[in-house]
């Protein structure tokens, strides 16, 4: 159906966004049709209200930072720790692992990967999950994750005497406009890394227009507006959107149809991620919570990570810049050798399906988007020339995945502390940066593999790099066959 351009212009004028038509009359008729379709599909009134709310929340957050909001660490009764390296946590781990494996064996667990980020700091043109951190096997992050899922399915089958191949952990992968096509192609070309295609479910988060600092939508070209993914908190809405245009199914429907009760949700860039971690699942299932958050221990008060904490009695993540120095340095009253605010957030969550399907929609409208001031390439509205700004000229609006925390009632959230060296080494920065880059990811994963091998009673000669396939071991189990072996050369262990 033809779009009524006069009505469209009026709608945009009423919304204070008439400038988007500045170059409209200079466009070819094809360009006009494409641009008009983009504008007609955009809910410009929603954009304006999202902007107004975000700016208000931004000002309130700045005021709160200088006011007396009461900040406190997560309560002890909401915290479970399995981070002690001495082995004293082993019985608890085993109890929780069996709870988690049982839920997996019963087909109640899914995993949810957030892979919609553009990975600007890493600077690779492909989605981050396709990245090869330089392991001996040259496996991508996606492949490591897929193989951990396969191994975990096998572990659950064995633990609960299920038939081989009968346990399925469906993998829900959230992509975005820029990452969807290359991600789906990467999986298809590699046969979904041995998983059944029907159990790898792709969906896509939304986008929002980029805005000037006073809320005007920015043009990317004369016939298109500049847009950006709506942040990893776009997850919540995306779960209720159609899986793909024309589909009748949403990710939430799919979860419900499959009888999935529990989800492990994680970010794409942590090469040590324990996808579907049964211990974490067990901790959250045992506590009967709707939401869980896995954390590692912050030991340096100056480390720039967000910490899980309470703000005026509600769970939240406090960014490093928001935490006053005296609180960042404060010690835990019960554990004086540890920081009070030490629960470093690693984008690793647990949810019940019912929380995502029923609770989130009820409070979602109250969640304010965050303002990220950025340098956004756009057009000079006088000349139509392209500008590459050297200082922030606009904003992207994003929700964060942890923005739901304040809405979780008391006792509804578990904080699970795990050892950093076993579980967290993120890939954020370009090669050679020295922190959170491909080299540190590779180093940390190979160091972990060496620990597992040595614990199994084998020996690795200096200089040898041994990589254990995730199909062989999930977290160091099943390595008895290596006992007494001496690895003198670098290799990939694919079977034992
Ligand atoms: P980051 O915030 O580190 O962003 O994402 P990023 O895209 O990986 O990297 P930069 O900031 O552009 O350099 C943390 C997790 O959230 C996902 C990412 O894919 C990653 O798993 N994410 C981020 C989304 O799924 N959607 C988004 O809009 C943003």
């Amino acid at each position: 159906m033809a779009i009524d351009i006069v009505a469209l212009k009026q709608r945009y004028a009423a919304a204070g966004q008439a400038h988007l038509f500045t170059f409209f009359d200079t466009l070819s008729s094809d360009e006009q049709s494409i641009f008009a379709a983009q504008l007609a599909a955009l809910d410009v009134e929603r954009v304006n209200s999202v902007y107004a709310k975000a700016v208000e929340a931004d000002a309130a957050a700045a005021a709160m930072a200088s006011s007396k909001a009461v900040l406190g660490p997560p309560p002890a009764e909401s915290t479970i720790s399995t981070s002690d390296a001495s082995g004293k946590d082993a019985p608890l781990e085993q109890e929780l692992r069996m709870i988690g494996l049982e839920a997996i064996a019963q087909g109640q667990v899914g995993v949810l990967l957030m892979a919609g980020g553009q990975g600007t700091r890493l600077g690779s043109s492909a989605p981050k999950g396709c990245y090869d951190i330089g392991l001996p096997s040259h496996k991508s992050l996606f492949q490591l994750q897929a193989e951990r899922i396969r191994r975990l399915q096998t572990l659950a089958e064995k633990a609960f005497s299920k038939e081989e191949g009968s346990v399925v952990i469906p993998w829900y992968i959230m992509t975005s406009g820029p990452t969807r096509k290359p991600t789906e192609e990467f999986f298809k070309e590699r046969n979904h890394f041995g998983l059944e295609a029907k159990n790898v479910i792709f969906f896509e988060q939304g986008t929002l227009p980029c805005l000037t600092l006073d809320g005007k939508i920015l043009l990317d070209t004369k016939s298109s507006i500049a847009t950006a993914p709506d942040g990893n908190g776009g997850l919540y809405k995306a779960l209720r959107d159609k899986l793909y245009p024309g589909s009748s199914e949403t990710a939430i429907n799919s979860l419900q149809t499959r009888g999935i009760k529990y989800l492990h949700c994680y970010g794409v860039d942590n090469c040590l991620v324990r996808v579907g971690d049964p211990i974490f699942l067990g901790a959250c299932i045992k506590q009967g919570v709707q939401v869980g958050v896995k954390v590692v221990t912050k030991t340096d008060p100056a480390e720039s990570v967000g910490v899980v904490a309470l703000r005026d009695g509600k769970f939240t993540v406090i960014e490093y810049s928001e935490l006053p120095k005296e609180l960042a340095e404060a010690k835990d009253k019960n554990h004086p050798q540890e920081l009070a605010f030490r629960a470093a957030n690693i984008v690793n969550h647990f949810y019940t399906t019912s929380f995502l399907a029923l609770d989130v929609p009820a409070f979602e409208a109250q969640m304010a988007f965050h303002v990220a001031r950025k340098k956004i390439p756009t057009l000079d509205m006088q000349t139509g020339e392209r500008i590459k700004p050297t200082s922030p000229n606009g904003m992207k609006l994003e929700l964060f995945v942890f923005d739901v925390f304040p809405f979780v009632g008391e006792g509804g959230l578990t904080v699970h502390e795990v050892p950093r060296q076993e579980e967290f080494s993120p890939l954020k920065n370009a090669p050679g940066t020295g922190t959170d880059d491909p080299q540190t990811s590779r180093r940390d994963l190979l160091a972990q593999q060496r620990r597992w091998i040595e614990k199994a009673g084998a020996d690795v000669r200096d200089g040898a790099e041994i990589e254990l396939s995730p199909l062989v071991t999930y977290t160091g189990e099943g390595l008895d066959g290596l006992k007494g072996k001496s690895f003198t050369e670098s290799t990939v262990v694919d079977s034992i």
Side-chain angles (χ1 to χ4, degrees):
M1 205 178 62
I3 293 169
D4 180 345
I5 301 295
V6 175
L8 191 65
K9 283 186 176 173
Q10 280 169 356
R11 199 177 128 215
Y12 273 77
Q17 304 284 5
H19 63 286
L20 294 174
F21 290 89
T22 306
F23 305 108
F24 196 79
D25 294 339
T26 68
L27 302 175
S28 70
S29 66
D30 276 358
E31 287 169 334
Q32 285 188 344
S33 311
I34 293 169
F35 190 28
Q38 186 187 26
L39 294 175
L42 179 70
D43 186 347
V44 66
E45 295 78 15
R46 172 176 178 252
V47 173
N48 283 346
S49 68
V50 163
Y51 162 76
K53 197 157 184 198
V55 170
E56 196 186 304
D58 197 48
M64 179 133 44
S66 55
S67 81
K68 290 277 164 271
V70 181
L71 303 180
E77 60 277 15
S78 297
T79 305
I80 288 191
S81 173
T82 54
S83 62
D84 192 301
S86 69
K88 98 170 168 25
D89 293 333
L92 174 63
E93 279 187 23
Q94 181 56 10
E95 180 202 340
L96 301 178
R97 182 183 293 112
M98 291 315 284
I99 297 174
L101 283 177
E102 185 171 17
I104 293 172
Q106 288 177 350
Q108 297 174 342
V109 171
V111 290
L112 188 49
L113 164 61
M114 291 175 289
Q118 290 174 291
T120 34
R121 285 168 287 173
L122 178 63
S124 161
S125 56
K128 222 188 246 186
C130 306
Y131 204 85
D132 165 11
I133 57 172
L135 293 173
S137 67
H138 293 287
K139 284 177 187 172
S140 61
L141 294 172
F142 283 139
Q143 183 166 358
L144 295 173
Q145 294 165 25
E147 293 184 354
R148 286 177 196 153
I149 293 172
R150 288 174 60 193
R151 172 74 185 165
L152 189 53
Q153 292 175 163
T154 305
L155 289 177
E157 282 160 7
K158 287 202 174 129
F160 287 88
S161 309
K162 296 272 176 180
E163 213 175 288
E164 195 182 325
S166 64
V167 169
V168 172
I169 304 173
W171 194 7
Y172 292 84
I173 303 185
M174 182 176 79
T175 59
S176 62
T179 66
R180 180 164 201 158
K181 195 161 173 271
T183 302
E184 289 202 34
E185 280 173 4
F186 195 79
F187 273 74
K188 250 188 224 136
E189 282 159 14
R190 288 157 186 82
N191 205 16
H192 296 78
F193 309 105
L195 291 163
E196 272 198 82
K198 68 170 194 253
N199 297 327
V200 183
I201 301 111
F202 295 94
F203 62 109
E204 188 172 325
Q205 69 178 97
T207 57
L208 276 173
C210 304
L211 306 175
T212 63
L213 297 172
D214 54 0
K216 301 288 179 203
I217 296 173
L218 284 167
L219 282 174
D220 184 36
T221 66
K222 290 179 183 174
S223 59
S224 63
I225 58 177
T227 61
D230 55 3
N232 54 19
L235 169 73
Y236 301 106
K237 177 175 175 297
L239 285 168
R240 298 193 310 272
D241 289 340
K242 304 289 176 223
L243 291 178
Y244 50 86
S247 161
S248 57
E249 204 181 17
T250 67
I252 286 284
N253 298 151
S254 163
L255 289 165
Q256 291 171 327
T257 312
R258 287 172 182 259
I260 302 296
K261 288 166 75 174
Y262 311 113
L263 279 151
H264 175 221
C265 169
Y266 65 99
V268 71
D269 51 20
N270 174 14
C271 66
L272 300 182
V273 65
R274 291 189 177 182
V275 186
D277 179 10
I279 301 179
F280 181 42
L281 289 162
C284 297
I285 294 170
K286 185 177 176 199
Q287 302 278 93
V289 290
Q290 296 171 299
V291 177
V293 54
K294 202 187 253 202
V295 299
V296 297
T297 308
K298 179 179 171 183
T299 49
D300 174 3
E303 186 188 355
S304 57
V305 287
V307 288
V308 178
L310 294 180
R311 176 184 275 132
D312 292 334
K314 292 184 175 154
F315 285 104
T316 189
V317 172
I318 303 180
E319 297 296 351
Y320 168 68
S321 53
E322 294 172 316
L323 192 64
K325 188 163 178 282
E326 66 277 12
L327 291 186
E329 290 175 352
K331 297 289 188 194
D332 186 328
K333 278 196 263 36
N334 301 322
H335 305 275
Q337 69 289 13
E338 307 219 63
L339 297 174
F341 291 86
R342 63 174 178 280
N345 179 38
I346 59 169
V347 197
N348 224 300
H349 297 174
F350 162 94
Y351 302 104
T352 59
T353 302
S354 84
F355 176 77
L356 296 172
L358 304 174
D359 294 70
V360 176
F363 61 68
E364 204 169 17
Q366 297 172 52
M367 299 198 310
F369 280 69
H370 302 266
V371 172
R373 293 175 179 81
K374 303 257 178 181
K375 295 177 228 165
I376 301 165
T378 184
L379 298 189
D380 180 320
M381 295 306 283
Q382 305 301 323
T383 63
E385 305 268 304
R386 194 157 179 79
I387 318 172
K388 257 195 122 187
T390 49
S391 58
N393 63 325
M395 60 172 81
K396 295 182 179 180
L397 297 171
E398 295 184 332
L399 271 186
F400 299 149
V401 67
F402 53 72
D403 285 338
V404 297
F405 289 3
F407 298 91
V408 179
E410 212 177 302
L413 184 147
T414 286
V415 180
H416 182 196
E417 258 180 301
V418 299
R420 183 185 294 237
Q421 64 169 0
E422 285 296 321
E423 300 220 23
F424 188 55
S425 178
L427 176 61
K428 298 288 182 193
N429 300 317
T433 314
T435 46
D436 299 345
D437 67 10
Q439 289 79 22
T440 57
S441 297
R442 177 183 193 282
R443 177 199 67 199
D444 293 345
L445 194 137
L446 289 174
Q448 177 200 59
Q449 312 269 281
R450 191 184 185 111
R451 287 193 299 276
W452 291 354
I453 292 167
E454 290 177 348
K455 197 164 172 220
D459 158 63
V460 181
R461 292 287 155 82
D462 278 348
E465 293 181 322
I466 314 302
E467 184 185 344
L468 300 164
S469 165
L471 296 173
V472 167
T473 185
Y474 180 74
T475 49
E477 81 294 337
L479 300 179
D480 297 345
L482 297 182
K483 198 171 169 143
K485 195 171 161 68
S486 186
F487 289 97
T488 52
E489 281 176 19
S490 298
T491 187
V492 183
V493 179
D494 281 318
S495 62
I496 295 180

